[in-house]
Amino acid sequence: MAEEHVPHLRESVVIRSLRRLRDRYFPQTRAVTPAAGEKDQGEVQPGFLESLPVDIQFLVMTYLSSADLCLLGATCHYWRGMVRDPLLWRFFLLRDMPYWNSIDHFSMPHLELLDVPLVDENERLDEREEGVDTESRVDYMAEYLRGSPLCRQQWLPSFAPYKVVTSFLQSLVASEEPCYAMFGPGMEQLDVSFVKRLMNAPDVLPMTGMSSRQISGIGSGITYLFNNLHKFNIQTLYSTNKAERERARAEQRNVNNKLFTVEANAESGVQTYSPAPHVQQVCQVANGFIYVANAERDDGECESAQIQALLSSAWGSTSRPLLVLSCVSREDREIVHSSVHPITKRVPCVHVAKRLDLTLLDNPWMVQDVVVESLSGLLDGVSWLLRRSGVKLH
């Protein structure tokens, strides 16, 4: 489950940090409003929200969106200081990150955020050395706002009227059909077949053609239509042929991956992967790559090495985008009423990116959550892939 992958920050630690901040810089907010009949000495009294106990203020902030928190911080000096507390945003980051449905090479949080020791609740915050505490090393607010899909969506530029016209004119001009090489265990291990579901979803991505030529018995090319305007081709690359996959599935065993040849270093034992010749031919003409990851498991052995071997098999591959579809068979949620978010039985996309060592790649990349049964999330990933390949969408 998602919450097994991310450390937690206790609410009491955040509340103590906020209380320390208020006591040090805003002691006047604890002043009591003069009772009826008493004279006001001319001092500016704090507002109702500022006078609330810190734990109530924190509870209110947990129900606000990141955009609302930023607006709250713009209302006055007090709230500007409170919403900039680093532990507050570290709490939000660790709480919300498992539920982000996409991440890319621009918005991926620093990986050390997942591994640094959490603050000890029993430690007295006012006695810790200035500049040494772990939460001050990273601007957690900036990390959150850069990584959250909702925030990234707000940053997307809107089309001016003249750009809409030019986009329409560009759609009338025939363009080259981009081709993508698709591979990965999510194509073979899930209960719901990703490729079959994709081929039978005209309401999502209509098929416009299929190549009769098989790639050494492992895969073939299928052409799809995006937004009823843009054609693109997917070359599916399976690890082995259909009969071998079905036999291995029935016997619950792994199959010999025919996409790569493997050599082990005699001294270190490290395995080196080299794409087979027919796979290299596909990769050399591909405009980008689609990796179908199994987000129902978190034990992807050698996945990172295989991805890097495939991407490096073609000249100029560092400029070609990699779309990782983080797939589960079907939506399976267990609602926990005491939590802001439901617990989702999938590996979070941030951890898929970490597992696959995507931050080590020079290629632009994106991880997108996809439910195979409904194909929810797929169009967002395809849209990103086409844009990164130079296709002008509108």
Side-chain angles (χ1 to χ4, degrees):
M1 289 187 181
E3 70 171 8
E4 296 175 353
H5 295 81
V6 176
H8 290 282
L9 183 59
R10 293 181 181 272
E11 294 183 1
S12 59
V13 177
V14 184
I15 293 172
R16 289 170 62 192
S17 177
L18 291 172
R19 184 176 291 116
R20 180 187 64 171
L21 188 151
R22 187 177 76 164
D23 292 346
R24 179 178 298 179
Y25 298 107
F26 306 102
Q28 71 278 7
T29 57
R30 293 181 296 173
V32 180
T33 304
E38 293 185 4
K39 293 184 178 181
D40 189 348
Q41 300 298 324
E43 296 182 358
V44 178
Q45 298 297 325
F48 172 73
L49 287 178
E50 290 87 342
S51 300
L52 289 174
V54 171
D55 52 346
I56 303 298
Q57 294 179 357
F58 171 71
L59 180 62
V60 171
M61 288 189 282
T62 59
Y63 284 97
L64 298 179
S65 68
S66 55
D68 291 335
L69 278 172
C70 293
L71 291 175
L72 178 63
T75 57
C76 65
H77 184 61
Y78 174 80
W79 285 112
R80 181 181 183 276
M82 294 295 279
V83 303
R84 285 291 302 181
D85 183 86
L87 272 181
L88 177 70
W89 285 95
R90 178 169 180 169
F91 173 85
F92 290 140
L93 187 65
L94 295 176
R95 183 196 67 179
D96 297 345
M97 195 164 48
Y99 306 97
W100 292 349
N101 61 3
S102 66
I103 205 74
D104 60 24
H105 57 292
F106 287 124
S107 58
M108 179 70 177
H110 294 299
L111 296 182
E112 59 266 24
L113 293 179
L114 309 178
D115 301 320
V116 294
L118 294 179
V119 177
D120 184 1
E121 184 180 4
N122 297 320
E123 183 180 9
R124 293 188 61 183
L125 298 180
D126 55 352
E127 293 181 352
R128 290 156 64 203
E129 298 181 28
E130 295 293 334
V132 179
D133 45 319
T134 55
E135 73 270 15
S136 65
R137 297 175 185 172
V138 181
D139 187 344
Y140 290 97
M141 181 178 181
E143 292 289 325
Y144 188 103
L145 297 179
R146 189 180 76 247
S148 170
L150 292 177
C151 297
R152 282 185 276 136
Q153 190 68 27
Q154 293 176 356
W155 295 342
L156 291 177
S158 58
F159 283 103
Y162 72 90
K163 289 187 177 180
V164 175
V165 176
T166 56
S167 297
F168 172 73
L169 296 176
Q170 289 169 347
S171 67
L172 302 179
V173 180
S175 58
E176 183 181 355
E177 182 180 304
C179 173
Y180 304 103
M182 184 169 73
F183 64 109
M187 293 168 51
E188 308 175 25
Q189 297 175 352
L190 299 177
D191 293 336
V192 181
S193 171
F194 176 78
V195 175
K196 288 183 179 179
R197 181 69 185 91
L198 190 59
M199 293 173 62
N200 293 278
D203 55 323
V204 181
L205 283 176
M207 286 177 51
T208 63
M210 177 183 293
S211 173
S212 59
R213 174 180 173 271
Q214 294 287 313
I215 306 171
S216 300
I218 294 180
S220 61
I222 306 173
T223 299
Y224 296 93
L225 190 64
F226 179 78
N227 281 352
N228 294 320
L229 284 176
H230 310 283
K231 289 184 178 181
F232 66 97
N233 185 273
I234 294 179
Q235 297 284 335
T236 55
L237 300 174
Y238 287 100
S239 63
T240 186
N241 60 49
K242 182 178 179 181
E244 292 173 323
R245 292 196 304 273
E246 292 179 349
R247 189 182 309 115
R249 190 179 186 86
E251 299 174 359
Q252 295 184 348
R253 60 178 177 83
N254 294 326
V255 297
N256 183 27
N257 195 326
K258 295 183 178 180
L259 297 179
F260 303 92
T261 58
V262 184
E263 296 181 1
N265 188 298
E267 297 180 357
S268 63
V270 177
Q271 293 182 329
T272 303
Y273 291 85
S274 301
H278 62 275
V279 176
Q280 292 188 26
Q281 293 176 4
V282 173
C283 294
Q284 288 174 357
V285 299
N287 298 91
F289 306 89
I290 303 174
Y291 186 80
V292 186
N294 182 356
E296 296 177 355
R297 299 170 54 182
D298 196 17
D299 55 350
E301 185 178 359
C302 306
E303 287 183 283
S304 172
Q306 293 176 2
I307 290 175
Q308 295 189 42
L310 192 142
L311 294 184
S312 61
S313 64
W315 294 329
S317 62
T318 55
S319 62
R320 304 179 194 182
L322 169 66
L323 171 64
V324 176
L325 301 178
S326 180
C327 293
V328 294
S329 296
R330 51 186 61 87
E331 197 73 55
D332 186 11
R333 288 175 174 261
E334 176 186 351
I335 304 298
V336 179
H337 296 289
S338 61
S339 175
V340 176
H341 297 282
I343 295 177
T344 306
K345 296 181 178 178
R346 68 151 61 238
V347 180
C349 65
V350 173
H351 293 279
V352 170
K354 182 180 180 182
R355 181 181 80 194
L356 301 179
D357 290 328
L358 298 183
T359 56
L360 302 180
L361 300 177
D362 294 326
N363 303 65
W365 57 266
M366 176 184 182
V367 181
Q368 174 67 49
D369 284 351
V370 173
V371 179
V372 177
E373 190 174 58
S374 62
L375 293 181
S376 64
L378 177 64
L379 292 182
D380 291 334
V382 172
S383 174
W384 176 89
L385 185 64
L386 292 174
R387 289 179 186 274
R388 294 299 308 189
S389 303
V391 178
K392 299 185 181 298
L393 306 179
H394 64 277

